[in-house]
């Protein structure tokens, strides 16, 4: 499904929406600029992948194969464009400059605090754990039960390969109920904003804010949309109806950006690393009784 949503007021950006794009033809070994089966793909989703490639693969050095994941095909995505400056209301500009996605419930368990994750064959896999380094003079003061926070300096961290016990704990978390954190009871269904990216030369023009607001407004207007995507899974896992809870996994460097949009850090979720980048969990609750 594809539709055009005009940007609010007389602002320059506009966005294109695509729901649950097929990723079957997408080959992760290739850049989105050189996809062998490009003609078979949704062009809006391919535009999203081009922005993500530029920002996450080129700029942030995330591995090429890690960009597409299992959530892409069950999510809704927006791609922001800017007009060419000749005519601010023109929808003719073809350059995609930003993107965002909303991942529906049910969600996988919250990441393990201190965990170091990579995407392998589309799935998020625990590769290791960050722990506090042993203090000098102490044999081993590492405490995996109290992993470091994002405020712990890198020099005080030590990386340990994931053990069989770590994988077993991840497996148990995946099959059981989620753990409760500071802002989530472990049961309530929530949606997750993600893959938010604006091309570097277009930053600082409120495009990021526009994309997040576009997604939040859409969620508010379509609160039952995701009930229909996978009703069996939703019925099996959700103990309550969706009540406007929105989560995101924020790169620590972008935390201030999300705070300005009303999200709060969930201290109980801890800090973990995705493709080597430290992340924290943040939540905001939308009041679904209000109209946008
Ligand atoms: C984060 C990102 C999407 C922000 O996009 P943007 O279009 O430059 O942001 P905006 O212009 O909408 O900024 C809105 C406000 O947030 C602030 N802001 C933007 N990035 C920020 C950051 N990294 N940290 C703190 N504040 C930030 C802006 O200064 C602005 O503040 P103001 O309202 O007081 O003027 C963009 O920098 C980006 O793509 N970064 C690389 C990818 C990334 O890190 N994505 C997030 C992954 S979790």
């Amino acid at each position: 499904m594809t539709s055009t949503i005009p940007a609010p007021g007389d602002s320059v950006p506009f966005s294109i929406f695509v729901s649950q794009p097929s990723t079957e033809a997408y080959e992760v070994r290739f850049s989105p600029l050189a996809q062998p089966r490009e003609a078979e793909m949704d062009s809006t989703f391919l535009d999203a992948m081009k922005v993500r490639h530029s920002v996450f693969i080129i700029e942030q050095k995330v591995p090429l194969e890690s960009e597409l994941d299992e959530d892409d095909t069950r999510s809704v995505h927006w791609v922001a464009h800017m007009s060419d400056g000749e005519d601010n209301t023109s929808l003719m500009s073809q350059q995609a400059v930003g993107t965002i996605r909303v991942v529906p419930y049910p969600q996988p368990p919250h990441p393990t605090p201190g965990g170091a994750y990579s995407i392998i064959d589309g799935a998020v896999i625990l590769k290791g754990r960050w722990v506090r380094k042993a203090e000098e003079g102490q044999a081993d003061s590492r405490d995996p039960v109290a992993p470091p926070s994002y405020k712990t300096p890198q020099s005080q961290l030590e990386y340990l390969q994931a053990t069989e016990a770590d994988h077993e704990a991840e497996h148990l978390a995946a099959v059981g109920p989620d753990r409760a954190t500071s802002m989530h009871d472990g049961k309530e269904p929530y949606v997750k904003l993600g893959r938010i990216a604006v091309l570097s030369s277009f930053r600082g023009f409120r495009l990021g804010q526009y994309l997040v607001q576009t997604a939040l407004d859409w969620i508010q207007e379509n609160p039952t949309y995701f009930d229909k995507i996978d009703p069996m899974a939703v019925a099996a896992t959700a103990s309550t109806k969706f009540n406007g809870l929105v989560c995101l996994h924020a790169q620590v460097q972008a935390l201030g950006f999300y705070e300005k949009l009303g999200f709060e850090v969930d201290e109980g979720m801890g800090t973990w690393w995705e493709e080597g980048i430290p992340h924290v969990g943040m939540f905001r609750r939308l009041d679904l009784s209000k109209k946008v």
Side-chain angles (χ1 to χ4, degrees):
M1 182 169 75
T2 302
S3 68
T4 303
I5 301 172
D10 57 357
S11 56
V12 179
F14 64 94
S15 59
I16 302 180
F17 172 80
V18 58
S19 176
Q20 298 172 269
S22 168
T23 55
E24 190 268 321
Y26 194 92
E27 293 193 32
V28 295
R29 293 173 296 125
F30 294 96
S31 142
L33 300 164
Q35 283 291 314
R37 294 167 64 192
E38 176 177 350
E40 295 167 52
M41 280 178 239
D42 182 283
S43 61
T44 302
F45 181 65
L46 200 54
D47 278 346
M49 292 305 287
K50 286 176 187 168
V51 174
R52 284 161 50 170
H53 182 84
S54 174
V55 172
F56 297 121
I57 311 296
I58 311 262
E59 189 183 328
Q60 297 192 343
K61 314 262 182 281
V62 168
L64 179 68
E65 295 80 5
S66 303
E67 190 38 42
L68 186 88
D69 72 5
E70 287 168 339
D71 282 333
D72 275 316
T73 195
R74 67 189 195 106
S75 297
V76 297
H77 307 250
W78 286 262
V79 173
H81 291 255
M82 299 281 265
S83 74
D84 55 15
E86 294 287 310
D87 171 2
N88 282 353
T89 59
S90 166
L91 300 188
M92 298 302 288
S93 167
Q94 291 306 302
Q95 186 180 13
V97 295
T99 190
I100 190 171
R101 76 178 184 190
V102 178
V103 184
Y105 40 83
Q107 301 284 349
H110 299 308
T112 300
Y117 294 86
S118 281
I119 295 174
I120 298 169
D121 293 333
V124 182
I125 305 290
L126 181 74
K127 304 280 291 173
R129 277 184 301 118
W130 287 99
V131 293
R132 288 170 196 272
K133 262 187 195 162
E135 298 279 329
E136 213 167 305
Q138 289 183 300
D140 189 351
S141 67
R142 290 175 308 214
D143 181 1
V145 185
S149 94
Y150 65 93
K151 291 173 186 152
T152 311
Q154 188 74 28
S155 59
Q156 290 178 18
L157 299 181
E158 181 177 357
Y159 181 74
L160 304 176
Q161 291 290 342
T163 60
E164 280 301 315
D166 292 325
H167 288 302
E168 178 64 15
E170 285 277 304
H171 173 70
L172 287 175
V175 294
D178 207 352
R179 69 190 167 93
T181 63
S182 312
M183 299 172 81
H184 181 232
D185 64 4
K187 298 178 208 146
E188 182 180 343
Y190 63 90
V191 296
K192 194 170 89 181
L193 303 188
R195 297 299 200 273
I196 302 162
V198 172
L199 294 183
S200 59
S201 50
F202 286 86
R203 289 188 195 144
F205 298 117
R206 305 202 177 277
L207 266 166
Q209 193 180 71
Y210 163 73
L211 279 161
V212 173
Q213 199 55 53
T214 298
L216 293 179
D217 287 351
W218 180 89
I219 295 164
Q220 186 129 16
E221 282 172 0
N222 301 278
T224 59
Y225 187 88
F226 292 130
D227 292 347
K228 296 165 208 143
I229 285 191
D230 191 351
M232 300 283 278
V234 171
T237 54
S239 59
T240 50
K241 268 168 63 88
F242 176 61
N243 191 23
L245 193 59
V246 183
C247 177
L248 55 84
H249 291 177
Q251 290 184 11
V252 167
Q253 56 80 16
L255 201 154
F257 167 72
Y258 296 116
E259 280 178 336
K260 289 192 165 162
L261 287 156
F263 286 84
E264 282 176 64
V265 174
D266 183 327
E267 299 288 346
M269 269 175 84
T271 302
W272 67 96
W273 280 255
E274 293 177 16
E275 306 297 354
I277 302 172
H279 282 71
V280 291
M282 300 181 87
F283 280 95
R284 177 179 159 179
R285 187 181 292 280
L286 300 175
D287 181 352
L288 297 181
S289 67
K290 282 194 183 149
K291 287 275 165 251
V292 176

